[in-house]
Amino acid sequence: MSAAIVGEPTRLASVIAHKGIARWHVRVWGVSAHAATPGLGRSAIYDGARVALALEEYASQLALRRGHPLLGSPTLNVGKVTGGQAVNMVPDLCEFEIDRRLLPGEDGLEAVQDCQDWLRQKIGDKIQFEVQPPCLVDPALETRRESRIVQAVGQSHISATGVPNLCQGAHYGTDGSKLARAGIETVVCGPGDIVQAHTKSEYVEVNQLEQALRLYDDLIQRWGNEENLWDMDTRR
């Protein structure tokens, strides 16, 4: 059996579940006109604002769905909006970029379709809009607590730190989910704190590095030469 350790910053806790990602664009169409005669056009930004409010309501509905014990509910965020060409023109296009976080078992394409169905129901034919195919779909991760790699990491954690390990979930995604999808049981476990990641003064405590070295060394020895152990460090 193959197993993987993804060395993202978890303060050496074992992340056995994390959310996946689906990202896509929603385009809202209007009719261009001169700003001096706006009645001759239709503002894609005004209509886009109505679409944004519908997406906000949809996100609120997602929060009410049954959640995962380690990850909570799925989420949706409108992260970027663009529209218009010049201040003296009625805009004929407004575009949103959507980030949807997936729970284990959710399908990214189905999540996009579900959002589109919601918008069609709320808006109907009153506004001309188009939901684009997803530009990114990454699966979620979920590894069984009783799996051999989870148990081995827990034993090595005690050996390296002197305290029991914690199994937890993460809201960010890693390439560990791709390994899991390929049949490789995966745990995310690494030195440092995710709070420091992608900050101006990113750092990892020396003590965390030393404990990680001891943990990984102990784990490799426990696993032995009969198994394949991978180590990766990639996060989104």
Side-chain angles (χ1 to χ4, degrees):
M1 182 193 73
S2 296
I5 302 297
V6 176
E8 299 291 353
T10 67
R11 297 202 65 83
L12 299 181
S14 289
V15 169
I16 61 173
H18 67 60
K19 291 180 177 179
I21 308 169
R23 290 180 181 150
W24 68 93
H25 293 215
V26 176
R27 291 178 178 173
V28 182
W29 305 99
V31 178
S32 182
H34 196 284
T37 55
L40 298 179
R42 182 180 179 108
S43 172
I45 290 179
Y46 288 160
D47 282 346
R50 297 178 179 94
V51 171
L53 290 175
L55 289 169
E56 182 184 28
E57 186 177 353
Y58 178 72
S60 298
Q61 292 297 314
L62 284 179
L64 299 177
R65 293 186 181 181
R66 183 177 180 180
H68 185 277
L70 295 178
L71 302 174
S73 300
T75 61
L76 180 140
N77 179 62
V78 179
K80 185 178 179 181
V81 58
T82 56
Q85 296 173 291
V87 70
N88 64 340
M89 294 178 64
V90 176
D92 61 357
L93 176 64
C94 182
E95 187 168 23
F96 300 98
E97 293 186 38
I98 312 297
D99 182 297
R100 167 75 151 81
R101 298 293 161 142
L102 308 168
L103 297 183
E106 285 194 298
D107 179 89
L109 296 178
E110 291 178 359
V112 176
Q113 184 64 50
D114 186 65
C115 180
Q116 177 174 286
D117 293 344
W118 169 272
L119 290 176
R120 294 292 180 197
Q121 179 183 352
K122 296 296 291 186
I123 296 174
D125 297 327
K126 293 179 291 184
I127 295 173
Q128 186 179 358
F129 71 92
E130 179 183 20
V131 176
Q132 298 286 300
C135 54
L136 172 69
V137 175
D138 268 348
L141 169 72
E142 186 169 41
T143 303
R144 299 172 297 112
R145 289 178 182 268
E146 62 272 17
S147 69
R148 184 178 173 190
I149 187 61
V150 173
Q151 297 300 314
V153 172
Q155 294 166 359
S156 293
H157 187 279
I158 293 176
S159 177
T161 68
V163 297
N165 194 13
L166 295 175
C167 288
Q168 59 188 37
H171 296 288
Y172 56 82
T174 78
D175 280 343
S177 59
K178 299 180 183 66
L179 299 174
R181 184 171 56 183
I184 301 170
E185 290 191 328
T186 302
V187 175
V188 184
C189 178
D193 196 318
I194 192 64
V195 174
Q196 272 91 50
H198 304 308
T199 62
K200 184 177 180 180
S201 301
E202 189 171 358
Y203 67 90
V204 176
E205 298 168 6
V206 173
N207 180 56
Q208 281 275 299
L209 285 174
E210 292 173 341
Q211 289 182 338
L213 287 172
R214 292 196 296 270
L215 189 156
Y216 295 153
D217 181 65
D218 184 88
L219 180 60
I220 291 171
Q221 292 186 50
R222 286 179 188 277
W223 208 257
N225 296 325
E226 60 191 65
E227 303 288 3
N228 297 316
L229 189 68
W230 296 54
D231 176 50
M232 298 188 67
D233 184 7
T234 46
R235 178 183 60 255
R236 284 184 175 78

